[in-house]
Each structure stands twice: as C-alpha cells, then as structure tokens.
Amino acid sequence: MNPRRIPLIAGNWKMHHGGASGLDLALEVAKLSRELRGVEVVVAPPFTVLAAVAQSLEELAEQRGLLVGVAGQNMHFEEKGAFTGEVSAPMLVDAGCRWVILGHSERRQLFGETDELVARKTKAALEHKLHPIVCVGETLEERTAGKTLEVVLRQVRAAMPALISARGAAVIAYEPVWAIGTGKVATPADAQEVHAAIRAELLKEGGDAIATPTRILYGGSVKPDNARALLAQTDIDGALVGGASLDVAQFGGILQAAAALVGGAA
Ligand code: 13P
C-alpha cells in the first residue's frame, strides 16, 4: 500500500447470491464497513439483485453514512441494441452501480473475451462515468513458460488509452488465473513484482499523473490470513476477492487487514 492511494477491497460474488441472500450479504458488508476508516469497499452481485442491493445500500447510506459501492460483473460496450442477454453501461448506472468489473479471466477464458473487447468495454464504462476494474493475469502455462510479464503487460497495454483517459479513476486487478479459486495464492513478493511492472508501464505510457493514482488490486485466493502480507506490498492497493467475499466473517477479516494497515481498523 501507499498512503497516496486509498485501499480498495472489492467482493466479486460471481454467480452466487442472486436473490434475497444477496441483499442480506450486502447489508452485512455495509455494517462491517461502518466500523472501518480509510478503506473503500465495493460489492459485485449478480445482475438480478444489483438494483435492489444498490437501493438498500443507498438508503442505509442516507441514514448512517455508509460507504459501499456497487459493481456490475460485466457489461456490453454498446449502449443499447439487439444483444440478447447483455447489459449496458447506462443500464448499470441506472441500477445504481458506480463500478464495473471488466475482462475477468473467467470472461476471457470461458466467454472468449479478447484484449480488444475488454479495451472497448473499458472505454465505454468510462464514457458513462463507471469506474472500471480491469482484470489481467496469466495462466499457469504462461507462468511456467516465463511469460507472466509479457502476457500481463500486453493485457494492460490494450486498455492503456482508456486507462490514461481515466486519470486514476480506473482500477487494474492482477489476478493470476492459477490462483483463482484454487487456494494457491501468489507470494507477496511475486505479486509485488507484477504490480510494480504494471505501475512502471503506466508511468512509461501515461506519466506520474496516471501511475500514482491508479490502484492495482491483487486477486486470487485472498483470505483473512494472507491479506495483510499481500496488502503490505508497496504496489498492492487492495484486493479483488472471490470465494471469501461470500462469507461475511471472511470478507470482514480482509477488510480489517486492510484497515489495520492504514490505521483505520475497528
Ligand atoms: P477467489 O478469491 O475465489 O480465488 O477468486 C478471485 C477472483 O476471481 C475475484 O475476481
């Protein structure tokens, strides 16, 4: 972490909690966040419960000043049209989102999303004032072949024009594919090396005005017991959490770890 960037902890619920249980989980997360200072919190529920979650968090925020942002897990780059099954940036905004996760490795691997598509989506998100969380990361095969930085920087470069235009409002999430949902976490030093390389690329292409404010999250088997060591790294500005974000106690442990590092723990 770096005092010039507010840590961000985002929970990617994937295809879980699309109904009433999602509302309950979001409210529990909001209660936890109220206890902490200095950490930004985002939840990314499935589309079916997005509007309801955003609305109840907003009502709670009005009453008690809670700060939990809501993210879509994906979106189309067009505003509207004949794209069966898709959701657009204005629709996410309408549902109460301020954030959107783009180019998650599951989208890239299972749904064929390319670097170019992710770049188009990133640009569209920013045009609609959504903060994109652009995911990048190498497969185990690519890591074993020594291609980690080549792959990750290629993915970052594809979105670079949009990242530069965002002037720090966009977020990058480094999620090594082999660490997602496997319990195998990158070592803090390995993760830091990739994060530093991403920041160096931002500096080279966009200068300090982009490299300093842009937050780079780590994702892949983040749990309460490994969060602190990862988040303590200079260029790790938060976490994109999958499995552990489905459990209030575990997500709370990660939030506490982040808050403790910035002196804002309960
Ligand atoms: P896990 O935390 O379950 O490994 O998932 C990480 C992830 O894919 C977040 O987007």
Side-chain angles (χ1 to χ4, degrees), residues 232-253:
Q233 303 297 311
T234 321
D235 289 295
I236 301 187
D237 307 310
L240 182 55
V241 185
S245 73
L246 303 176
D247 181 275
V248 188
Q250 287 202 41
F251 196 58

Side-chain angles (χ1 to χ4, degrees), residues 12 14 104 175 179-181 220-221 240-243:
N12 175 9
K14 307 192 180 183
H104 190 280
E175 299 202 302
I180 294 176
S221 297
L240 182 55
V241 185

Side-chain angles (χ1 to χ4, degrees), residues 75-81 83 87-91 124 127-128:
M75 56 164 247
H76 196 278
F77 56 81
E78 291 287 359
E79 290 184 12
K80 59 183 176 194
F83 301 104
V87 166
S88 71
M91 290 171 188
E127 281 165 3
H128 291 278

